[in-house]
Amino acid sequence: MASTAYWDVNAVKSIVLIGMMGAGKSSVGRCLQRRTGLVRLDTDEIVAAEFGMPIAQIFGKHGEEKFRDAETEVLRKLAPDRPAIVVTGGGIVLRRENVDLLKQLGTVVWLIADEATLFERAARRDHRPLLQTENPRDVFSKLFRERESVYAAAADLRLETSTKSHDEVAEAILSKLEEFTGVRE
Ligand code: S3P
């Protein structure tokens, strides 16, 4: 469905999506982009483009720490001249500086689902380096437990996604954000 924005683009804030792998950040980001007409900036995509290789290869060749440094560097430089949909990697909240930068960018929205649902979604694709282990379910569980409170502290808004399609999540985000609830079609 095409959507037309009638809100004042200068008056709205960016929407920043955070959450675990499998939360649907990338897909919901695309839906939000379509619905709002705002530009979409994906930190994973930007880091991958800067290295000229996929994230899994960055982890393999340079290690996680280098990836995390690049992630922070991208955020430091990310100052869109217009509000944007900002999609992040699941681990971006691990650095305090990153959280501060995300909060400066706009409204931070945490996409939530129960652990089993998140893992099932995350494991559907094999491009996630942190899950390329012998016991991905245990690794995921550990990350989930370690990160929950960090996401909670970083989030301005939280949204349950377990039973919703990506488009329904996008719609729910927009209706929670009053500034976006002007006339849309
Ligand atoms: C990571 C999540 C990934 C990607 C990298 C590390 C994480 O992004 O940034 O593999 O630490 O949770 P998605 O959340 O989009 O899978």
Side-chain angles (χ1 to χ4, degrees), residues 21 25 44 55 59 67-68 71 89-91 128-130 147:
M21 296 174 260
K25 303 179 295 291
D44 274 353
I55 305 288
F59 271 63
F67 168 78
R68 298 293 172 205
E71 211 175 27
R128 294 188 163 97
L130 293 175
R147 291 179 180 179

Side-chain angles (χ1 to χ4, degrees), residues 13 27 32 35 45 62 64 75 77 97 103 136 181:
K13 289 205 279 180
S27 304
L32 285 171
R35 283 171 173 272
E45 285 178 9
H62 303 282
E64 179 172 351
L75 276 187
K77 288 188 286 192
E97 177 187 351
K103 281 187 163 296
T181 50

Side-chain angles (χ1 to χ4, degrees), residues 78-144:
L78 205 70
D81 53 0
R82 308 199 119 211
I85 309 299
V86 180
V87 175
T88 64
I92 206 149
V93 293
L94 296 174
R95 291 190 180 178
R96 177 70 224 195
E97 177 187 351
N98 294 356
V99 173
D100 292 341
L101 290 166
L102 292 174
K103 281 187 163 296
Q104 282 166 32
L105 279 174
T107 305
V108 179
V109 181
W110 177 22
L111 301 187
I112 302 176
D114 62 89
E115 187 189 323
T117 301
L118 288 169
F119 178 73
E120 190 269 314
R121 290 182 192 157
R124 269 182 217 156
R125 298 186 55 203
D126 62 1
H127 67 289
R128 294 188 163 97
L130 293 175
L131 301 183
Q132 302 307 307
T133 69
E134 276 184 14
N135 51 355
R137 186 68 184 85
D138 293 347
V139 170
F140 192 86
S141 199
K142 185 166 175 285
L143 293 175
F144 182 83

